[in-house]
């Protein structure tokens, strides 16, 4: 089906992928795992012929169904991409057209490759939506009207519309709650059982069970690991890993200065009430975890807390220690890629809100990137040249640059592997304790966030 022989991809002098080798047959699944920034998404772009011009590709062979992809022409790629090889992107908002409805987007690949007529589009979009657990009433909505999890499910449905032979799933469950995550992995397993070949790129090791036949492990700056049978990899993993737990003790009552207060707020959209009767207080130095399934209004709540939209009923009050502080509250959005200027370097973007001389900004950039676990070597890169996890850490650094009193992270940990999640959570705990910053973490993951949160608030539909 597909064979990759001695693949190396470089961005300038930096090797993002080194000496990668694997071979997959029909109905097999390869899981590519590794820390953020280890080159996982670069592999997906390489197989799809989507590497930027700044990248250098070296390979003895990349063969798909007997076709040489290294030497493929633009015309050849047009026949392959979307039809025979489909990508489930990790950044759904950027991958989907904001001007089109989700129904239009879901059947786009089938339409482009002339696999259906116009009269069959509605039936196909409904069928695909139901297969990924997407409510059919969302088919008339634009992607910006949907939650992150809903957009991700629409993207999965879109990838399946042309019935591709090879599916590359790049972090397909990162924005999903546990129920939807299980549903998507089961759907991919069904596709595999029907004869489709799958490359699953992920940092979530729990998703490997029941679907992966082989595993390749990547590490930043090191040659790619060997293609290993899943059963062998699992034994090696069990032997070398101790239980990963945190010594943080949270869950106690926290007494800090009141910074933000919501009283009996509700949200409504065209289809009805999203949530109602929500009240909360956010105090300095505490970490609050807001959870709930996709579509219950977590992002809507975040937008209300920062004053971007008003609640349908109820009130939100803010109590900054400095009334002149315009940076009192900072939001790190779910769509990190879309929140950055694609033409700016990371060094410029991180200190965008800082006023001062160039030397001051350069020092601040180095300190902030180090604080969130990134190398200062990325300062000259653009946001599109970073992995999903790296983008999220850059977004956190940018928010911290203006020293906010309240920091809201909307699914900002979803693209990180477990170790990097712990690193960011420990950083946030230090900020809460030392700077007295209030931290609101919105997301599906219970662990390891629960180990650091002082308290948790669960949103449910219409409550």
């Amino acid at each position: 089906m597909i064979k990759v022989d001695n693949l190396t991809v470089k961005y300038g002098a930096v090797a993002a992928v080194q000496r990668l080798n694997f071979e997959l047959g029909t109905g097999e699944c390869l899981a590519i795992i590794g820390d953020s920034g280890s080159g996982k998404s670069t592999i997906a772009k390489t197989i799809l012929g989507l590497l930027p011009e700044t990248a250098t590709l070296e390979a003895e062979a990349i063969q798909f169904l007997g076709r040489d992809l290294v030497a493929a022409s633009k015309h050849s790629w047009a026949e392959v991409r979307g039809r025979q090889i489909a990508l489930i992107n990790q950044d759904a908002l950027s991958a989907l057209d904001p001007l089109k409805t989700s129904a239009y987007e879901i059947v786009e690949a089938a339409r482009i490759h002339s696999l259906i007529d116009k009269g069959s589009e509605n039936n196909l979009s409904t069928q695909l939506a139901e297969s990924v657990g997407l409510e059919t009433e969302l088919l008339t909505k634009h992607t910006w009207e949907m939650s992150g999890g809903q957009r991700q499910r629409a993207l999965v449905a879109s990838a399946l519309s042309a019935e591709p032979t090879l599916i590359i799933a790049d972090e397909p469950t990162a924005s999903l709650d546990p129920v939807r995550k299980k549903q998507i992995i089961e759907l991919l397993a069904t596709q595999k059982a029907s004869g489709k070949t799958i490359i699953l790129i992920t940092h979530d090791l729990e998703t490997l069970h029941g679907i992966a036949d082989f595993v390749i492990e990547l590490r930043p700056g090191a040659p790619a690991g060997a293609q290993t049978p899943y059963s062998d990899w699992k034994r090696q993993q069990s032997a070398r890993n101790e239980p990963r737990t945190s010594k943080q003790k949270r869950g106690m009552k926290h007494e800090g200065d009141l910074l933000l207060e919501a009283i009996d707020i509700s949200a409504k959209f065209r289809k009805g009430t999203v949530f109602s009767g929500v009240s909360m207080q956010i105090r300095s130095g505490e970490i609050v975890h807001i959870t709930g399934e996709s579509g219950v209004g977590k992002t809507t709540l975040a937008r209300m807390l920062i004053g971007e939209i008003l609640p349908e009923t109820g009130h939100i009050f803010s109590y900054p220690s400095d009334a002149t502080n315009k940076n009192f509250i900072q939001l790190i959005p779910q769509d990190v890629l879309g929140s950055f200027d694609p033409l700016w370097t990371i060094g410029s973007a991180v200190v965008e809100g800082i006023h001062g001389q160039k030397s001051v900004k350069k020092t601040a950039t180095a300190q902030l990137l180090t604080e969130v676990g990134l190398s200062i070597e990325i300062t000259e890169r653009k946001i599109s040249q970073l992995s999903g996890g790296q983008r999220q850490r850059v977004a956190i650094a940018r928010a911290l640059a203006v020293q906010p009193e309240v920091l809201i992270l909307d699914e900002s940990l979803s693209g990180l592997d477990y170790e990097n999640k712990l690193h960011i959570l420990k950083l946030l705990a230090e900020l809460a304790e030392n700077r007295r910053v209030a931290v609101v973490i919105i997301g599906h993951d219970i662990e390891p966030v629960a180990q650091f949160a002082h308290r948790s608030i669960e949103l449910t539909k219409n409550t």
Side-chain angles (χ1 to χ4, degrees):
M1 171 70 74
I2 183 168
K3 180 180 180 181
V4 173
D5 192 0
N6 202 23
L7 170 67
T8 294
V9 180
K10 295 180 180 179
Y11 295 104
V14 179
V17 179
Q18 298 183 48
R19 302 199 294 276
L20 174 70
N21 297 276
F22 70 83
E23 186 171 1
L24 285 177
T26 301
E28 292 183 329
C29 174
L30 168 66
I32 299 178
I33 64 173
D35 295 343
S36 297
S38 59
K40 301 189 300 294
S41 294
T42 295
I43 294 171
K45 292 176 182 178
T46 302
I47 297 173
L48 284 159
L50 295 175
L51 284 174
E53 294 181 359
T54 54
T56 302
L57 184 154
E58 301 171 4
E60 293 183 17
I62 302 178
Q63 295 183 338
F64 173 69
L65 296 177
R67 189 192 300 250
D68 181 6
L69 296 185
V70 176
S73 64
K74 290 185 178 180
H75 177 74
S76 295
W77 275 119
E79 294 177 344
V80 170
R81 195 183 296 132
R83 176 63 182 95
Q84 294 178 306
I85 304 178
L87 171 67
I88 301 173
N89 201 300
Q90 63 176 290
D91 189 356
L93 191 58
S94 297
L96 298 171
D97 189 335
L99 301 180
K100 306 296 184 182
T101 64
S102 60
Y104 186 94
E105 287 286 287
I106 284 173
V107 297
E108 182 176 29
R111 182 190 308 110
I112 289 173
H113 292 281
S114 303
L115 301 177
I116 56 171
D117 55 46
K118 192 171 182 63
S120 304
E121 290 186 8
N122 287 340
N123 287 339
L124 180 60
S125 63
T126 299
Q127 177 185 339
L128 289 167
E130 291 175 344
S131 73
V132 298
L134 183 68
E135 295 88 344
T136 54
E137 57 264 28
L138 295 174
L139 291 173
T140 59
K141 288 194 172 185
H142 296 81
T143 54
W144 50 268
E145 297 178 288
M146 300 160 65
S147 72
Q150 290 167 342
R151 287 194 292 264
Q152 192 66 23
R153 279 175 274 154
L155 192 60
V156 173
S158 176
L160 300 177
S161 71
E163 298 187 357
T165 306
L166 171 63
I167 299 172
I168 302 176
D170 187 3
E171 301 285 4
T173 62
S175 300
L176 302 180
D177 58 74
V179 173
R180 302 302 185 191
K181 181 184 296 186
K182 182 174 181 291
Q183 187 175 34
I184 293 300
I185 292 300
E186 288 176 349
L187 173 63
L188 290 175
T190 300
Q191 294 294 317
K192 174 191 166 187
S194 71
K196 290 180 172 55
T197 301
I198 295 174
I199 297 177
L200 175 62
I201 298 172
T202 185
H203 63 262
D204 188 349
L205 303 186
E206 293 180 359
T207 61
L208 272 57
H209 179 70
I211 187 171
D213 297 302
F214 304 98
V215 178
I216 289 178
E217 194 163 355
L218 304 181
R219 297 191 182 280
Q227 181 176 351
T228 305
Y230 174 75
S231 56
D232 294 346
W233 174 86
K234 185 67 175 177
R235 283 193 294 269
Q236 296 168 9
Q237 187 79 358
S238 299
R240 72 188 183 189
N241 279 0
E242 296 179 358
R244 300 180 294 186
T245 58
S246 169
K247 294 182 180 179
Q248 295 287 331
K249 293 182 179 179
R250 297 287 173 181
M252 71 294 287
K253 185 178 180 181
H254 183 82
E255 296 294 342
D257 296 332
L258 182 59
L259 296 176
L260 203 60
E261 184 176 25
I263 302 175
D264 199 26
I265 62 173
S266 65
K268 287 185 178 180
F269 291 136
R270 288 179 299 179
K271 295 294 184 179
T273 301
V274 179
F275 60 76
S276 61
V278 173
S279 298
M280 68 179 72
Q281 291 184 336
I282 308 296
R283 297 182 176 273
S284 62
E286 75 169 338
I287 299 176
V288 179
H289 187 203
I290 299 178
T291 67
E293 293 184 4
S294 294
V296 297
K298 299 188 299 297
T299 296
T300 298
L301 176 60
R303 294 173 64 195
M304 286 183 178
L305 292 177
I306 67 171
E308 183 178 326
I309 59 175
L310 296 175
E312 184 74 19
T313 61
H315 302 279
I316 297 176
F317 300 97
S318 60
Y319 309 98
S321 59
D322 180 0
T324 65
N325 183 8
K326 296 181 180 179
N327 301 309
F328 165 71
I329 185 168
Q330 289 289 301
L331 171 68
I332 300 173
Q334 195 172 55
D335 174 34
V336 170
L337 184 60
S339 70
F340 280 79
D341 188 323
L343 301 180
W344 282 32
T345 64
I346 299 304
S348 298
V350 166
V351 293
E352 178 183 1
I354 295 179
H355 300 288
Q357 296 180 347
K358 189 174 181 180
S359 60
V360 173
K361 291 188 174 184
K362 186 175 181 180
T363 300
T365 300
Q367 290 174 342
L368 288 161
L369 291 179
T370 301
E371 196 171 18
V372 297
L374 289 172
S375 169
I376 60 173
E377 294 177 355
I378 71 168
T379 54
E380 295 304 315
R381 295 190 198 176
K382 308 292 176 57
I383 193 69
S384 61
Q385 296 174 311
L386 302 184
S387 70
Q390 287 174 322
R391 292 171 190 164
Q392 287 167 322
R393 282 182 278 166
V394 169
I396 292 173
R398 181 177 63 173
L400 294 177
V402 294
Q403 299 185 344
E405 293 187 63
V406 180
L407 185 62
I408 299 178
L409 294 85
D410 185 7
E411 292 286 1
S412 300
L413 304 180
S414 62
L416 301 178
D417 56 81
Y418 191 94
E419 295 304 325
N420 277 311
K421 277 183 185 176
L422 281 181
H423 177 89
I424 294 298
L425 285 166
K426 288 175 182 176
L427 166 64
L428 294 172
E430 291 172 3
L431 290 169
E433 186 170 349
N434 299 330
R435 297 195 193 181
R436 309 303 296 160
V437 175
V439 179
V440 179
I441 301 175
I442 297 173
H444 302 116
D445 293 334
I446 303 301
E447 293 294 338
V449 180
Q451 301 170 24
F452 292 81
H454 292 93
R455 55 195 172 91
S456 178
I457 299 172
E458 184 178 5
L459 284 185
T460 56
K461 288 187 177 180
N462 301 325
T463 59

